[in-house]
Amino acid sequence: MRMSRMFMPTLREVPADAVIKSHQLMLRAGMIRKMASGVYNQLPMGIRVFNKVQKIIREELDKKGCQEILCSALIPAELWKESGRWDVMGDEMIRLKDRNERDFCLGPTHEEVFSDIIRQEINSYKQLPLNLYQIQVKYRDERRPRFGVMRGRSFTMKDAYSFDIDEAGLDKSYQDMYEAYTNIFNRCKLEHSAVQADTGAIGGSVSAEFMVKSEVGEDEIVFCSGCNYAANMEKAVSVNAPSSNEEMKELKEVHTENVHTIEELEEFFNLKKENFAKTLIYVADKKTVAVVVKGNREVNETKVANAIGSVVEFELANETTIKKVTDAEVGFAGPKGIKTDYLFIDREVAEARNLIIGANKTNYHLENANYGRDFEGVVGDFRNVTEGDFCVECGKPLEIARGVEVGHIFKLGTKYSEAMNVNFIDKDGKSKPMVMGCYGIGVERTAAAIVEQHSDENGIIWPLEVAPYHVVVVPVNIKKEDHMENAEKIYKRLQDMGVEVLLDDRDERAGVKFKDSELIGIPMRITVGKDIIDNKVEFKLRRLEEKEIISVDEIEDRIIKEFKENNLSIR
Ligand code: ATP
Ligand code: MG
């Protein structure tokens, strides 16, 4: 491609509303442009990268025997009503009506659609297993679209669904996808790890998220310093603080005028945070919920919502609700006598002795409160892991890092097949529900994660396999005949050998051209300048500082060498 003809609106300045590196660089490199909040259009430099990510995904899935199909993004509500998700998906689902007032949605995910296809066509164990996928635009009205294409309201997803005759079959399908995903993210040159995850609204039992470690990640991941344990914060567990065998002391009411927060309580009682239990109040689909954790802990909202089951809206209660359930001002809630629909007690609170809790009475707390004697509730794990907690698997300290979720694999089991009658006749002649799995990768988010991990102060450094072009040929001065003619020749030769090549034939200063090639991250640059008299050009890799002077005849070999080093072939 001749850069003089190219639609590549690069930007010198960092756009004001882009806070993270990948968002800034994708805008500056002219890859994407915003149309509305969370809605982006993809320009040539962008689509070429996204297509390469898709190519890698297709190749790795096809190797595992998956087959590509393409479903409609417009989905009738009936399918969602059958699975019970029409009401569960909440405001994230974009709903619309047709001219006959029939309900539809723009698919946020496609379990129902794939289930519907399979139940109509497949009826015997002989036709299974099957693993089908599509690469398609998904629509989700995200509460907080942000970070450019990392969290958009329309985005391209590869979603795959496996159908097996039994659990053992599902285990194999899941393992195959695990391997395919590992290969995909390795080929994208993403440093990543697979972590245990919460299964959320999709349902099912086992799931793993493929996480790219990054400061800008929206997820917190818990890693063990001693073993392979890794889990999303939503799901992570740690060893409980040792249970106390102190004698239970007498419950006492203490006047605590204007002492509300844990910090104020610490000062007032001159005690550490772990001597207090704090009570947080939430509203889950109109039901009130109280959760009690020790003062040094944070509530894990996912664990609480899971304990209730299929919660759509979950949020902290407002002042009015708090006053209603506690009969007190905000800051004095406690588990004894609280009037909520649910009361959850973190196991550490249940196993501690003589805690200080809110009295549900303005300006009062209770001293020496004990679970079982003074208050009760559903006991479980309702807290977040804290850095330095101990691993439940090996006892070593846990660490916390931030990550971007680029892929997610789930064992669904028979949740959808039972709800939607996705059955087959087994060897024994009996009808059984198929055992399903589902598997997603965000295409643009993966590309953005690559930018997060592969860039410097001058721009993007694309790994060769996902780069929009492999090589840029830069004539230093297009007005000089020998620069331009030789650049043209090299450009032609590289095109003939199957290299994706740009010719920077713009009438710009060399410095401007170099800056652009660095910003857009082209892996190899060939500069045709004064040395061409001696039949020499400058060869430079984007990822390294050094420049090599090579002879024009060596160019092909030098490029092939680079492909080989990346385990790639040219066509
Ligand atoms: P998140 O927790 O980030 O909202 P999710 O659990 O909703 O993700 P899945 O439903 O598992 O995501 O979707 C599969 C993949 O699609 C994710 O791993 C991610 O790569 C991508 N993805 C999900 N939501 C978005 C979005 N709003 N914008 C871009 N990519 C997304
Ligand atoms: Mg989501």
Side-chain angles (χ1 to χ4, degrees):
M1 181 73 204
R2 289 170 186 278
M3 287 179 76
S4 60
R5 306 299 321 140
M6 186 136 152
F7 179 44
M8 188 191 74
T10 54
L11 307 171
R12 288 274 162 268
E13 303 297 323
V14 177
D17 62 341
V19 286
I20 69 167
K21 195 164 52 178
S22 56
H23 186 194
Q24 293 172 349
L25 287 172
M26 288 170 100
L27 286 168
R28 289 189 55 210
M31 294 176 67
I32 52 167
R33 283 295 182 266
K34 179 167 151 181
M35 184 159 65
S37 168
V39 183
Y40 286 81
N41 295 317
Q42 306 180 351
L43 309 189
M45 276 297 163
I47 192 92
R48 290 185 70 95
V49 172
F50 303 140
N51 283 342
K52 295 213 172 164
V53 172
Q54 294 191 20
K55 179 167 179 278
I56 294 175
I57 294 174
R58 287 195 171 91
E59 287 174 7
E60 293 300 329
L61 293 189
D62 292 352
K63 262 193 228 167
K64 293 288 186 191
C66 306
Q67 296 167 71
E68 184 168 1
I69 65 171
L70 182 58
C71 299
S72 162
L74 187 64
I75 310 175
E78 284 69 37
L79 284 181
W80 294 87
K81 287 183 180 157
E82 257 190 82
S83 71
R85 286 210 293 183
W86 183 253
D87 299 320
V88 178
M89 296 302 286
D91 288 341
E92 209 169 283
M93 188 143 94
I94 297 185
R95 297 159 206 255
L96 55 156
K97 287 189 191 293
D98 71 4
R99 64 175 77 211
N100 299 314
E101 292 292 303
R102 283 197 205 103
D103 285 317
F104 282 81
C105 74
L106 293 179
T109 174
H110 272 66
E111 283 77 9
E112 284 79 356
V113 176
F114 277 66
S115 297
D116 184 49
I117 292 174
I118 292 293
R119 71 178 167 183
Q120 295 187 49
E121 312 298 335
I122 302 294
N123 47 41
S124 161
Y125 71 94
K126 290 182 193 152
Q127 298 163 295
L128 296 172
L130 271 179
N131 191 333
L132 303 180
Y133 72 96
Q134 63 173 346
I135 299 183
Q136 185 216 35
V137 177
K138 296 280 184 277
Y139 298 88
R140 294 184 183 180
D141 197 357
E142 297 276 354
R143 189 187 290 264
R144 297 184 69 191
R146 57 184 179 161
F147 300 157
V149 295
M150 279 262 191
R151 182 171 298 283
R153 296 197 293 168
S154 77
F155 60 95
T156 315
M157 196 204 285
K158 183 289 297 170
D159 47 331
Y161 305 86
S162 64
F163 299 85
D164 277 280
I165 59 167
D166 55 17
E167 283 292 330
L170 172 60
D171 288 348
K172 164 89 172 67
S173 299
Y174 184 86
Q175 185 57 30
D176 276 350
M177 292 305 266
Y178 193 104
E179 287 165 16
Y181 275 40
T182 304
N183 295 341
I184 290 165
F185 297 123
N186 282 343
R187 282 175 67 180
C188 290
K189 297 284 184 280
L190 280 171
E191 221 181 278
H192 68 277
S193 50
V195 312
Q196 292 176 22
D198 182 66
T199 44
I202 293 203
S205 51
V206 175
S207 97
E209 286 170 348
F210 285 75
M211 287 284 186
V212 172
K213 268 196 203 176
S214 158
E215 303 127 52
V216 305
E218 293 182 277
D219 287 89
E220 272 188 308
I221 324 161
V222 176
F223 291 91
C224 179
S225 58
C227 71
N228 285 333
Y229 179 77
N232 192 310
M233 181 60 91
E234 291 180 342
K235 159 118 185 173
V237 291
S238 62
V239 175
N240 294 318
S243 57
S244 165
N245 44 20
E246 241 179 70
E247 285 292 304
M248 290 193 198
K249 296 186 198 153
E250 193 189 332
L251 187 70
K252 270 198 299 198
E253 199 174 80
V254 187
H255 188 70
T256 51
E257 184 96 36
N258 288 328
V259 181
H260 311 84
T261 65
I262 284 289
E263 286 71 25
E264 288 164 352
L265 283 164
E266 273 184 285
E267 201 177 310
F268 183 90
F269 285 95
N270 194 21
L271 284 171
K272 285 200 184 137
K273 287 194 174 70
E274 41 273 46
N275 295 295
F276 301 87
K278 60 182 177 192
T279 304
L280 279 94
I281 297 160
Y282 293 88
V283 178
D285 296 337
K286 306 211 168 76
K287 299 266 190 200
T288 53
V289 185
V291 191
V292 190
V293 293
K294 282 178 109 181
N296 59 333
R297 295 295 194 177
E298 297 304 325
V299 170
N300 183 311
E301 297 180 0
T302 307
K303 291 177 184 172
V304 177
N306 286 345
I308 301 169
S310 54
V311 175
V312 179
E313 289 289 334
F314 188 83
E315 55 195 12
L316 277 169
N318 59 23
E319 199 178 324
T320 320
T321 309
I322 295 174
K323 283 183 177 165
K324 210 164 104 198
V325 298
T326 62
D327 289 328
E329 292 296 320
V330 174
F332 302 96
K336 184 173 161 56
I338 198 162
K339 292 177 290 186
T340 47
D341 298 309
Y342 295 94
L343 175 56
F344 295 112
I345 315 285
D346 186 62
R347 183 155 284 113
E348 282 190 346
V349 170
E351 291 179 1
R353 286 287 166 267
N354 304 322
L355 292 166
I356 296 167
I357 62 174
N360 296 320
K361 181 173 167 190
T362 304
N363 292 334
Y364 284 91
H365 278 81
L366 296 174
E367 232 178 340
N368 303 327
N370 288 289
Y371 171 78
R373 185 189 70 179
D374 306 311
F375 62 91
E376 291 196 337
V378 177
V379 176
D381 176 3
F382 299 112
R383 63 174 196 271
N384 276 343
V385 168
T386 316
E387 181 115 23
D389 277 4
F390 298 108
C391 175
V392 288
E393 287 182 9
C394 77
K396 292 271 164 35
L398 296 169
E399 290 166 15
I400 298 173
R402 300 201 77 83
V404 173
E405 177 202 316
V406 285
H408 202 169
I409 60 177
F410 286 88
K411 287 188 186 176
L412 291 173
T414 54
K415 177 181 154 128
Y416 292 89
S417 38
E418 278 177 25
M420 298 185 64
N421 294 314
V422 192
N423 299 323
F424 69 101
I425 306 292
D426 207 351
K427 281 190 199 97
D428 56 11
K430 290 199 178 119
S431 174
K432 293 177 187 167
M434 294 183 202
V435 186
M436 291 173 58
C438 76
Y439 317 89
I441 293 181
V443 173
E444 296 89 354
R445 189 184 286 184
T446 298
I450 300 173
V451 177
E452 288 294 332
Q453 286 196 352
H454 298 272
S455 59
D456 63 14
E457 63 286 0
N458 299 320
I460 306 171
I461 307 175
W462 288 114
L464 190 53
E465 196 170 0
V466 294
Y469 290 88
H470 303 132
V471 179
V472 55
V473 178
V474 183
V476 169
N477 185 346
I478 62 162
K479 299 210 175 81
K480 292 205 169 141
E481 225 166 81
D482 56 344
H483 291 194
M484 201 52 206
E485 259 176 28
N486 283 289
E488 289 273 6
K489 273 193 214 149
I490 295 165
Y491 173 58
K492 176 86 185 23
R493 267 164 52 193
L494 298 187
Q495 276 186 327
D496 288 346
M497 82 188 266
V499 168
E500 295 170 21
V501 56
L502 288 170
L503 175 66
D504 199 345
D505 58 345
R506 297 174 300 168
D507 188 8
E508 293 279 1
R509 281 180 298 112
V512 171
K513 298 186 192 183
F514 292 161
K515 271 213 147 39
D516 273 341
S517 78
E518 285 177 354
L519 175 61
I520 63 180
I522 307 302
M524 292 177 254
R525 187 177 80 202
I526 293 166
T527 308
V528 185
K530 60 181 186 334
D531 291 344
I532 198 67
I533 300 175
D534 304 323
N535 210 30
K536 294 217 160 25
V537 294
E538 181 193 282
F539 180 90
K540 185 180 175 301
L541 293 175
R542 172 67 180 89
R543 67 187 157 83
L544 298 178
E545 280 300 312
E546 299 93 71
K547 296 166 186 156
E548 304 162 35
I549 303 296
I550 63 173
S551 119
V552 170
D553 313 320
E554 290 169 325
I555 292 174
E556 278 89 345
D557 286 345
R558 184 64 192 82
I559 291 173
I560 289 168
K561 181 170 169 236
E562 197 52 28
F563 271 84
K564 281 208 176 122
E565 273 175 21
N566 281 275
N567 290 322
L568 298 174
S569 53
I570 288 179
R571 277 190 214 263

